[in-house]
Amino acid sequence: TEKSIKNFFESSYVITKDSDRMGMRLSGREISCKNGVDIISDGMTFGAIQIAGNGQPIIMMADRQTTGGYVKLGNVVSADFHKLAQALQKTKIRFIPITLDDAIKSLKEMEMIIASEYSYEVIQEIRATIAIGPERDIKIPKQLVHGISALKRDQAIKYNIVIDGKNFIVEIEKGK
């Protein structure tokens, strides 16, 4: 119902102990549906918010079923999946309605962060500047890279890279 949708966005929900990789069960204000919650089964997406028979939301997670027969109220924004997947039992969740354009924008912003200077590709770009023994052209296997962090940002960027337990500071001048 319209009132239930309004209540859904004005309320907080708590992750219950019955949550797992298939679905995150929530407890909070009951959501009522005009014609009940059962529908003809249809496709299930990661982040889909179903309303169970008890009127409580379930967010479909990574190991969800392929189809489901409960009413779906909406979908969690893809850019927030990582936050949701790490949320613990008793964590409070609040839903905020956004437009499709805003959802796409948030996903693009997240992808830019992932592809930023902290990515493995940057390590590959700067690998030749790291001197380990006599070799200059060093290939760094991903499993050896334990951390990378920017130390300073002004005319140059300094990185602290941990490779196989050894710390290396690499400085890259901007524009070069």
Side-chain angles (χ1 to χ4, degrees):
T1 63
E2 285 184 37
K3 182 179 179 187
S4 284
I5 292 171
K6 183 178 184 279
N7 290 342
F8 175 76
F9 289 118
E10 291 176 351
S11 303
S12 292
Y13 290 85
V14 177
I15 299 172
T16 72
K17 65 177 178 54
D18 298 320
S19 299
D20 57 25
R21 287 182 48 86
M22 284 188 69
M24 187 169 283
R25 292 184 175 268
L26 305 177
S27 175
R29 201 170 198 174
E30 188 176 317
I31 299 165
S32 59
C33 300
K34 290 178 186 174
N35 299 318
V37 295
D38 293 326
I39 61 168
I40 295 173
S41 291
D42 63 353
M44 194 58 55
T45 60
F46 190 166
I49 304 167
Q50 284 191 311
I51 307 305
N54 64 0
Q56 298 299 309
I58 305 170
I59 303 170
M60 297 295 102
M61 299 301 287
D63 290 345
R64 68 204 173 277
Q65 66 272 19
T66 55
T67 62
Y70 290 138
V71 168
K72 287 191 280 290
L73 183 60
N75 212 92
V76 173
V77 175
S78 301
D80 288 341
F81 289 166
H82 69 286
K83 295 175 193 172
L84 189 60
Q86 294 180 50
L88 302 173
Q89 176 184 336
K90 297 183 182 178
T91 299
K92 284 187 180 181
I93 295 178
R94 187 149 189 185
F95 297 92
I96 300 168
I98 65 168
T99 66
L100 179 58
D101 287 342
D102 286 340
I104 292 168
K105 181 181 175 189
S106 67
L107 182 58
K108 285 181 180 179
E109 287 171 357
M110 184 190 69
E111 288 172 349
M112 290 300 294
I113 291 168
I114 291 170
S116 75
E117 60 203 338
Y118 299 101
S119 70
Y120 177 72
E121 286 70 26
V122 169
I123 295 170
Q124 290 298 68
E125 286 177 26
I126 63 177
R127 67 185 160 80
T129 65
I130 302 172
I132 302 175
E135 296 181 49
R136 299 268 316 147
D137 187 21
I138 300 159
K139 297 192 187 309
I140 304 170
K142 279 187 180 182
Q143 64 269 23
L144 295 182
V145 178
H146 302 290
I148 178 170
S149 59
L151 300 176
K152 184 178 178 183
R153 294 185 189 196
D154 44 86
Q155 293 302 319
I157 301 173
K158 290 183 181 180
Y159 294 93
N160 180 42
I161 303 176
V162 181
I163 303 170
D164 200 20
K166 297 175 187 167
N167 285 314
F168 299 92
I169 295 179
V170 178
E171 185 172 323
I172 301 175
E173 291 183 30
K174 289 187 177 183
K176 293 190 177 187

